[in-house]
Amino acid sequence: MSQKKVRVRFAPSPTGGLHLGGVRTVLFNYLFARHHGGEFVLRIEDTDQTRYVPGAEEYIMECLRWCGLEADESPLKGGPYAPYRQSERKGLYRQYAEQLVAAGHAYYAFDTPEELEAMREVEKARGNHSPQYNHSVRKTMRNSLVMDAAEVKALLEKGTPHVVRIKMPENEELRFTDMIRGEVSFQTSTVDDKVLLKADGMPTYHLAVVVDDYLMKISHAFRGEEWLPSAPVHILLWKYLGWEADMPQWAHLPLILKPDGNGKLSKRDGDRLGFPVYAMNWTDPKTNELTRGFREIGFLPEAFVNMLAMLGWNDGTGQEIFSIEELIARFSIERVHKGGAKFDYDKAKWFNHQYIVKTDNALLANLFKPVLLEKGVAAEPAFVAHVAGLVKERCHFINEIWDHGFFFFIRPDKYDVDAVKPKWSAEKQAFFEEWAAGLAGLEDFSFAPLEESFKQLATSKGIKPGELQLPFRIMLCGGKFGPPVFVIAETLGKAETIERIRLGLAALA
RNA sequence: GCCGCGUUGGUCAAUCGGCUAAGACGCCUCCCUUUCACGGAGGAAUGACGGGUUCGACUCCCGUACGCGGUACCA
């Protein structure tokens, strides 16, 4: 086990958009694989045909691509253990189920859904809160444990619908070491006889995960904490199938919780509280309902990934901003938290802000292009980049470049006159008229000489320069926002600045 | 109900028996800036509870409480 090549897998079922927690599971798998020079495989667990959602699989792969967490082997890429879609592996599973039956570790069950329901009703009437198909009731049901061999054979030959169930031992203690939680133990008496093979011939998750992890030589299996209660089934299966020596090491990841109250974070919480939960936009093919994703809301994938990495993991040094290379170098599954973490959208925004600030201006300009297009504004890439550099430190999202710098592209269409009017005077008006006139002759239109001439004239007229700066800003931007005023003027250029003073003065009159 | 897993400020969290309990987000005050941010300096705010073990417990053990997860021919 220790010398085994590291191979991990992310095994989603394609039932909808990829949730934050799912991406984090991908990330931890990916980081672990890269850290150990191993392989990361994507396996699609589509064994429940009733839950099939068209487009979900493509969506998942696009998410991984956007996040930069692509798998080495996948349905799309193929690989030595193909196929990577369980529905295409259907024929594989039955033989293992039969093998378990033959060894006495599983059995055929012919109970119909109605009979199962009847059993549950009887049990509930007896005060049993959660009726299970287990050692205490299996002897009263219609299965190969109670029927004689000939009868079973006849039913099977007639093609009677049936499932295969695992025969849980009545009273054994099962323990295993979880890489995050340490020693975990269960009593087999509390686990029911899970269905392994469904009546439609498809395996359930329980059988499929074990068979495929074995066949695909998975060395470490990471999954959400919600799987912990069924771990005993999986461990027993590894044992019964005779593969115990090859069993992967388990790690059950903590859940990502909703910010308010408690409980698993769900799409609904995002809708309710106003933040994305899915990695990218997802449109439900049935209802046509659109759920906004982190990508479309303006997150940089690096920021998204970094933020996710810190949800349940840290390297112990206090560092929070990590490149993917650093994450790969420092990641260790043992440092993953046991407890769930509440999702904090403010912190997520802070991460994105950090990445925007350190992203190259030309790159930001490129990402901002769609917004300009949407606004119907044409501008030189170099100019856009310059503006991005001027405003990026006040942005949490790419599209906020517009909110903080639109006036570089278009003239203000309204002025915050209330901010100026109360203190406005004929003297100030005269100052701007005179200064604007003098501007025409200014040779160096960069911010320092601009500011210098502005202050000189103000002082000579006996006005505090500070009292003139806000009006000037309003004339250029229309409101109380933006980078330092003289930098704005420099960027706008001489002609435009003079024109905006003229228009501003008119608006204030 | 039963089973399992958790529990350090509002949130993310460090600590692997010596704590005057880091750091970050958010919040508040001040400085910088007569915009907003950035930056800088401060501040409020934390070990669920009760028992052990120990010279010493946030750290180890046992209970209790609380929370979450599971309890399907779903994953």
Side-chain angles (χ1 to χ4, degrees):
Chain A
M1 159 91 47
S2 49
Q3 356 271 35
K4 240 195 338 192
K5 169 111 182 153
V6 167
R7 283 177 59 79
V8 297
R9 100 272 117 136
F10 176 58
S13 71
T15 53
L18 223 211
H19 170 275
L20 262 185
V23 181
R24 195 193 54 174
T25 303
V26 172
L27 177 62
F28 286 3
N29 269 289
Y30 180 90
L31 295 177
F32 186 84
R34 290 288 170 272
H35 182 89
H36 291 99
E39 285 141 7
F40 169 48
V41 349
L42 174 69
R43 183 174 71 217
I44 300 294
E45 308 233 344
D46 54 349
T47 54
D48 186 357
Q49 288 156 336
T50 64
R51 295 213 305 165
Y52 172 75
V53 176
E57 186 184 316
E58 291 72 15
Y59 173 95
I60 289 167
M61 295 209 258
E62 175 59 13
C63 281
L64 302 204
R65 198 201 55 74
W66 178 62
C67 293
L69 306 172
E70 282 183 275
D72 301 304
E73 299 164 27
S74 72
L76 202 68
K77 271 196 172 172
Y81 302 94
Y84 292 92
R85 211 174 270 126
Q86 287 181 333
S87 58
E88 292 170 14
R89 303 169 65 80
K90 184 177 176 184
L92 262 154
Y93 306 103
R94 175 138 216 136
Q95 57 179 301
Y96 297 107
E98 303 282 358
Q99 180 189 329
L100 290 165
V101 174
H105 290 126
Y107 56 91
Y108 300 109
F110 300 92
D111 317 274
T112 63
E114 294 73 31
E115 288 168 329
L116 253 19
E117 194 41 46
M119 176 273 279
R120 292 193 184 106
E121 287 309 315
V122 170
E123 287 297 313
K124 271 184 192 159
R126 265 195 222 168
N128 182 350
H129 262 259
S130 54
Q132 294 187 313
Y133 199 119
N134 61 15
H135 60 92
S136 68
V137 304
R138 65 183 166 221
K139 292 194 181 61
T140 69
M141 304 298 286
R142 296 179 53 226
N143 56 55
S144 61
L145 257 22
V146 294
M147 300 192 261
D148 60 57
E151 193 183 348
V152 172
K153 192 162 177 262
L155 282 171
L156 253 24
E157 277 168 3
K158 265 201 321 198
T160 313
H162 64 278
V163 301
V164 174
R165 286 180 181 272
I166 186 171
K167 186 181 169 194
M168 288 302 288
E170 269 188 44
N171 221 334
E172 266 179 39
E173 193 191 43
L174 230 48
R175 33 179 76 242
F176 73 98
T177 304
D178 184 283
M179 295 176 80
I180 296 170
R181 286 151 217 284
E183 186 105 326
V184 180
S185 68
F186 293 89
Q187 214 61 41
T188 56
S189 59
T190 64
V191 185
D192 60 345
D193 291 356
K194 291 274 183 243
V195 169
L196 265 21
L197 200 70
K198 301 187 261 188
D200 65 1
M202 276 288 203
T204 58
Y205 172 82
H206 306 294
L207 213 217
V209 74
V210 172
V211 168
D212 285 341
D213 281 352
Y214 170 74
L215 261 17
M216 295 183 178
K217 298 198 159 45
I218 298 305
S219 62
H220 302 262
F222 307 151
R223 65 206 331 183
E225 189 184 354
E226 68 268 29
W227 288 107
L228 203 45
S230 54
V233 178
H234 310 316
I235 287 165
L236 234 31
L237 250 19
W238 277 92
K239 200 166 134 189
Y240 291 162
L241 257 2
W243 304 332
E244 208 175 2
D246 294 315
M247 186 169 78
Q249 282 187 258
W250 300 97
H252 290 89
L253 272 24
L255 267 17
I256 295 178
L257 277 13
K258 57 184 74 184
D260 58 338
N262 292 295
K264 254 202 304 199
L265 178 70
S266 74
K267 185 182 89 62
R268 282 262 155 259
D269 299 311
D271 298 344
R272 184 170 55 85
L273 271 11
F275 59 78
V277 169
Y278 288 163
M280 316 182 310
N281 274 6
W282 167 254
T283 305
D284 188 300
K286 279 202 188 77
T287 63
N288 249 317
E289 186 200 350
L290 171 79
T291 306
R292 301 266 280 159
F294 280 88
R295 181 175 73 175
E296 288 78 5
I297 268 174
F299 273 82
L300 299 171
E302 297 81 5
F304 181 56
V305 164
N306 193 155
M307 177 273 292
L308 250 21
M310 301 311 290
L311 228 45
W313 176 85
N314 69 80
D315 76 343
T317 66
Q319 182 178 339
E320 293 190 286
I321 303 295
F322 294 92
S323 66
I324 191 75
E325 290 76 21
E326 288 177 301
L327 286 174
I328 290 168
R330 316 242 185 116
F331 186 77
S332 77
I333 200 81
E334 289 81 6
R335 283 199 67 89
V336 174
H337 263 251
K338 296 181 174 76
K342 288 186 183 175
F343 177 63
D344 180 356
Y345 190 49
D346 280 328
K347 189 75 183 250
K349 277 159 59 176
W350 176 82
F351 272 105
N352 207 43
H353 173 249
Q354 295 298 311
Y355 274 80
I356 285 177
V357 169
K358 66 181 212 166
T359 295
D360 179 76
N361 296 341
L363 242 52
L364 288 177
N366 205 254
L367 292 165
F368 183 57
K369 237 165 43 187
V371 179
L372 283 179
L373 218 63
E374 183 196 314
K375 300 288 181 187
V377 170
E380 285 299 312
F383 182 74
V384 180
H386 183 244
V387 170
L390 252 27
V391 303
K392 65 182 181 181
E393 65 196 12
R394 54 210 88 195
C395 297
H396 286 94
F397 302 108
I398 294 293
N399 58 17
E400 285 179 348
I401 292 175
W402 179 260
D403 303 324
H404 291 113
F406 68 91
F407 46 84
F408 286 114
F409 305 105
I410 57 172
R411 287 179 183 162
D413 59 352
K414 54 177 184 288
Y415 296 91
D416 184 357
V417 287
D418 292 344
V420 181
K421 263 282 174 63
K423 290 184 179 174
W424 195 237
S425 66
E427 289 73 29
K428 289 183 180 174
Q429 167 101 13
F431 164 83
F432 278 104
E433 280 163 359
E434 187 178 336
W435 189 60
L439 243 33
L442 196 65
E443 271 179 37
D444 182 359
F445 206 74
S446 54
F447 74 90
L450 268 172
E451 183 166 2
E452 183 53 33
S453 87
F454 187 91
K455 286 186 173 166
Q456 247 173 36
L457 184 63
T459 311
S460 77
K461 286 191 154 312
I463 311 174
K464 275 192 271 178
E467 289 192 18
L468 294 162
Q469 279 192 39
L470 188 59
F472 187 32
R473 171 178 298 281
I474 304 287
M475 291 174 203
L476 298 184
C477 318
K480 294 197 275 186
F481 36 70
V485 247
F486 298 104
V487 173
I488 298 176
E490 174 190 322
T491 307
L492 253 20
K494 188 187 286 183
E496 182 65 16
T497 299
I498 293 171
E499 179 61 6
R500 286 198 189 185
I501 292 172
R502 192 183 68 76
L503 293 167
L505 248 20
L508 285 169

